[in-house]
Amino acid sequence: MTSAAPRCTLGPALQLLFTLVLISTGVHHTAAAYGAGLSFFTSAGASASSVTSASAPKVANLTGCPNLRIGIINGVPYHYEVLAGLMHTFRPYARRTDIYVNPYTRTSSGDGAWEVLRRSRVNYIFLTRNILKNIAQQKPFYDLLILVSPDYELDANEELLRHIRRHMTVAIVHNSDFNETERLIRVAEGGSSGARLVTLSPHTATSLASATGRQVDWVLPVYPFKPKTNCLDASEVDLLGMCLRGFAIQGKFSSLRRNYSAVWHQMSSRREELTTGYAKTLFHINVMGKGQDDRLGLPDDLVPFVTVLRRLPFRGFYDHLHHSFAILPMLGNRRYLTHKFSSSILSSFISGTPLVANREFLASYSMLNERCVYLQKDDEQELDVMLRLVATPATELLAVRRQMAETRRRVNERAALGPIVRAPTGRLRAAVSYFKVPSLWHGPACWEGYGAEDRLRARVFEYNVVRCDDAACNMTAAVKLFFIANPRHPTIHSRSPLSSQVRPASGIRVLSSTPKLWPSLAGETAKAAHDGLKSVLDVTSK
Ligand SMILES: *[C@@H]1O[C@H](CO)[C@@H](O)[C@H](O)[C@H]1NC(C)=O
Ligand SMILES: *[C@@H]1O[C@H](CO)[C@@H](O)[C@H](O)[C@H]1NC(C)=O
Ligand SMILES: *[C@@H]1O[C@H](CO)[C@@H](O)[C@H](O)[C@H]1NC(C)=O
Ligand SMILES: *[C@@H]1O[C@H](CO)[C@@H](O)[C@H](O)[C@H]1NC(C)=O
């Protein structure tokens, strides 16, 4: 076995962070081992601080995986804020990413999200009738397919996924009390795809893991909104009442989601405090979202303190949030601490505006901590915190905002290295562990499967194996590796050289676990390849 020629093509210099871990010896080749059984990152229940401290991220240069294909599906005309975060996370792969969206995304029902989404170089596909017909005929292939709203459009996902071939399907589940997870898993695993469930926050990952008995990770990709005027840069003089104006309650108008009456009650009972001191000029509530005003139950006498802003377009919405002192989640249901994900979290991250939150809230949404929110102490109401904030020096207010920006950076780092990107590398590790040379393997690699599975329509996986050490990944040491999971595949019996069918490349290794097939495998004999895996890995791990 010789080491491979360089396979890296030039492209935009991309960097992804990965954690390097030795593969554990106990992994067996089962369907579950493809991703599900391999846990390299903190999963359900872990806090963001353990993400950054426990596992030291390493930088991998994935420029050499030009054929990696990513598909993202969000057929509903909402959740654009989640989609924008994914678009941001996958921007290094924009040119190989297809995003399937609702045909009305470009119209007013898209709430201005298109203005933001269209700036990316990803290929948007509008799910019109004609496109659905094309998909059914062409059966596109992705290494990784992400479902953004499966708990809102499972019927449509099921139909679409009958026609989309893929290695790994990642389903983002918003609320863990979704009662059709079994069906969702069946849909995701259709066509022998690997499947992973992820949520947007630690507490929903914990409850979904216990509801399904599966490993569930959380990942919160955040679109880092850039306001026209960033209040982090404002001087003391410009900040209060100028850059920052009032407090925000955001999201769909619904008393099931948010307890508006709690805040109205606090305001009514302490009305005189709202009209004295700093509060007199600085206190105001902006209620931002969509829905009917009567759902807010705003008492007439509080009308002067409250502005209702309906259906602001995407940029205007986050701009307004950015210019608020803080966002009040006002959870209308305790299930937002156990099973549901509050949209206020993502809005806070996108706009860079801290939340008012108590410790119970932080225990659930544990990617946040006391330094990046305005803490509501156990004996305090939201109004106590608001009145305190309008009298707080600018430097202290901004220190919390800075922490919020730092936390946003960390959750995005986790999103880039975490459960989503991990999925196919987990499969690679599963393939390698299948050959029982576990401890040699130093983990993450560039991975791609496009050519192989797409053309041969079989479970033939093609990988570029790249050696990574503490400093970086050495792309010049890349080795191409085929893993044949289907020993009955006709290619194996037809003796046609697999390598020429796939793509010319030096340093090809063809592997199969079935000894009697070794003689019939093309190119180097599979036996040699199989035995040679050790040397492949020696090459890549030296
Ligand atoms: C990544 O690799 C490519 C070549 O494959 C190289 O041109 C680029 O400079 C590398 N980027 C970094 C940050 O090392
Ligand atoms: C799931 O819940 C919805 C209502 O929330 C209900 O209509 C549906 O029948 C439930 N499905 C199952 C499988 O329990
Ligand atoms: C809303 O808040 C009020 C006052 O704090 C409380 O009495 C009420 O139970 C809350 N409603 C819900 C649905 O939590
Ligand atoms: C990368 O791998 C190539 C080929 O194996 C080797 O010649 C080169 O020295 C390696 N570079 C580093 C920085 O390890």
Side-chain angles (χ1 to χ4, degrees):
M1 309 288 288
T2 53
S3 75
R7 280 215 66 261
C8 316
T9 57
L10 292 175
L14 335 160
Q15 298 240 319
L16 271 198
L17 294 166
F18 279 93
T19 299
L20 300 188
V21 244
L22 294 180
I23 207 157
S24 81
T25 48
V27 182
H28 300 294
H29 174 64
T30 62
Y34 285 116
L38 298 161
S39 171
F40 298 100
F41 295 86
T42 31
S43 54
S47 71
S49 55
S50 65
V51 171
T52 45
S53 55
S55 49
K58 302 286 199 295
V59 176
N61 184 345
L62 296 189
T63 315
C65 304
N67 294 320
L68 176 82
R69 301 285 305 153
I70 296 167
I72 298 175
I73 300 177
N74 188 53
V76 297
Y78 44 85
H79 289 160
Y80 292 118
E81 67 285 9
V82 182
L83 197 59
L86 286 166
M87 179 197 87
H88 176 73
T89 298
F90 284 102
R91 69 200 182 289
Y93 304 114
R95 288 176 187 283
R96 1 169 167 161
T97 299
D98 290 341
I99 299 190
Y100 294 85
V101 288
N102 187 284
Y104 299 111
T105 300
R106 280 173 294 191
T107 69
S108 60
S109 64
D111 287 330
W114 184 240
E115 279 306 296
V116 170
L117 296 175
R118 74 190 181 91
R119 283 159 201 258
S120 165
R121 289 171 177 165
V122 306
N123 178 33
Y124 285 100
I125 298 169
F126 298 91
L127 290 164
T128 59
R129 265 167 201 280
N130 273 343
I131 289 291
L132 292 173
K133 254 188 243 160
N134 285 350
I135 292 169
Q137 277 163 9
Q138 292 170 4
K139 306 213 180 302
F141 173 83
Y142 298 100
D143 295 273
L144 173 62
L145 186 72
I146 298 171
L147 309 178
V148 178
S149 304
D151 36 347
Y152 294 76
E153 54 165 348
L154 189 51
D155 289 346
N157 283 164
E158 180 168 28
E159 174 56 24
L160 204 50
L161 263 55
R162 285 173 48 217
H163 307 296
I164 297 184
R165 293 165 304 127
R166 64 229 183 254
H167 277 162
M168 180 57 69
T169 309
V170 173
I172 298 178
V173 177
H174 291 250
N175 299 313
S176 66
D177 49 6
F178 175 53
N179 62 1
E180 293 196 273
T181 45
E182 282 183 22
R183 182 174 156 224
L184 170 59
I185 291 165
R186 269 202 315 278
V187 167
E189 286 179 344
S192 69
S193 169
R196 290 192 68 83
L197 301 178
V198 303
T199 65
L200 298 170
S201 69
H203 71 291
T204 43
T206 305
S207 48
L208 187 61
S210 75
T212 57
R214 291 173 72 106
Q215 186 201 331
V216 181
D217 292 283
W218 68 271
V219 61
L220 187 63
V222 179
Y223 174 74
F225 174 74
K226 288 196 176 65
K228 278 196 208 105
T229 316
N230 191 332
C231 294
L232 276 180
D233 305 327
S235 67
E236 173 107 34
V237 142
D238 294 336
L239 191 70
L240 304 181
M242 303 286 282
C243 207
L244 296 183
R245 304 175 292 265
F247 296 85
I249 302 176
Q250 72 80 54
K252 199 167 173 185
F253 301 164
S254 152
S255 57
L256 297 176
R257 294 170 195 243
R258 274 162 280 278
N259 191 342
Y260 304 99
S261 58
V263 70
W264 307 150
H265 180 74
Q266 292 170 27
M267 286 163 66
S268 292
S269 61
R270 298 166 66 180
R271 217 192 134 94
E272 66 288 359
E273 289 177 65
L274 307 180
T275 51
T276 52
Y278 290 106
K280 187 177 175 189
T281 48
L282 297 177
F283 180 84
H284 197 78
I285 301 272
N286 292 313
V287 183
M288 300 163 53
K290 43 186 158 179
Q292 289 164 308
D293 290 9
D294 57 7
R295 303 230 177 112
L296 302 174
L298 177 65
D300 287 344
D301 64 324
L302 294 181
V303 166
F305 299 102
V306 179
T307 303
V308 178
L309 297 159
R310 287 147 116 265
R311 293 207 91 132
L312 289 178
F314 198 93
R315 292 200 152 274
F317 182 79
Y318 291 106
D319 207 61
H320 244 282
L321 283 179
H322 179 83
H323 291 290
S324 305
F325 278 82
I327 297 171
L328 308 176
M330 303 306 303
L331 301 184
N333 189 319
R334 288 195 57 81
R335 288 184 86 71
Y336 283 103
L337 298 173
T338 55
H339 292 77
K340 291 178 178 295
F341 178 76
S342 166
S343 64
S344 293
I345 306 295
L346 197 43
S347 286
S348 165
F349 272 115
I350 295 174
S351 63
T353 305
L355 294 158
V356 170
N358 62 21
R359 293 200 170 91
E360 188 182 36
F361 186 97
L362 294 178
S364 291
Y365 296 90
S366 58
M367 69 284 251
L368 299 168
N369 60 41
E370 293 186 14
R371 279 169 297 137
C372 65
V373 301
Y374 297 117
L375 187 67
Q376 178 185 354
K377 300 196 192 93
D378 293 344
D379 57 351
E380 284 184 324
Q381 294 183 318
E382 284 82 358
L383 187 58
D384 293 305
V385 184
M386 289 190 270
L387 293 177
R388 189 168 70 234
L389 291 178
V390 293
T392 298
T395 47
E396 278 178 49
L397 288 177
L398 293 185
V400 175
R401 258 181 200 251
R402 274 201 193 90
Q403 281 298 320
M404 190 59 205
E406 169 60 18
T407 308
R408 170 162 88 182
R409 195 190 58 71
R410 288 216 318 257
V411 295
N412 269 342
E413 191 173 286
R414 177 191 167 84
L417 65 82
I420 288 179
V421 170
R422 180 183 80 206
T425 56
R427 183 176 280 256
L428 169 61
R429 291 167 215 263
V432 173
S433 70
Y434 185 33
F435 290 95
K436 307 219 181 336
V437 277
S439 58
L440 288 172
W441 178 244
H442 268 264
C446 154
W447 36 274
E448 51 185 13
Y450 178 64
E453 182 153 59
D454 197 33
R455 294 190 208 173
L456 304 177
R457 286 195 221 101
R459 302 195 63 193
V460 178
F461 303 119
E462 173 191 353
Y463 300 102
N464 286 328
V465 181
V466 182
R467 185 207 162 201
C468 300
D469 62 20
D470 287 356
C473 290
N474 182 352
M475 296 300 289
T476 58
V479 170
K480 184 176 285 295
L481 181 149
F482 290 99
F483 169 63
I484 300 183
N486 175 6
R488 282 183 297 283
H489 189 266
T491 309
I492 295 166
H493 301 292
S494 72
R495 292 173 177 267
S496 56
L498 186 63
S499 51
S500 69
Q501 285 197 35
V502 180
R503 120 167 38 111
S506 56
I508 286 181
R509 309 287 179 270
V510 182
L511 307 171
S512 174
S513 59
T514 311
K516 70 176 185 200
L517 292 176
W518 291 342
S520 60
L521 281 171
E524 307 171 68
T525 71
K527 163 118 176 65
H530 183 243
D531 294 344
L533 181 62
K534 189 172 177 308
S535 56
V536 171
L537 294 169
D538 277 344
V539 168
T540 58
S541 63
K542 235 172 235 155

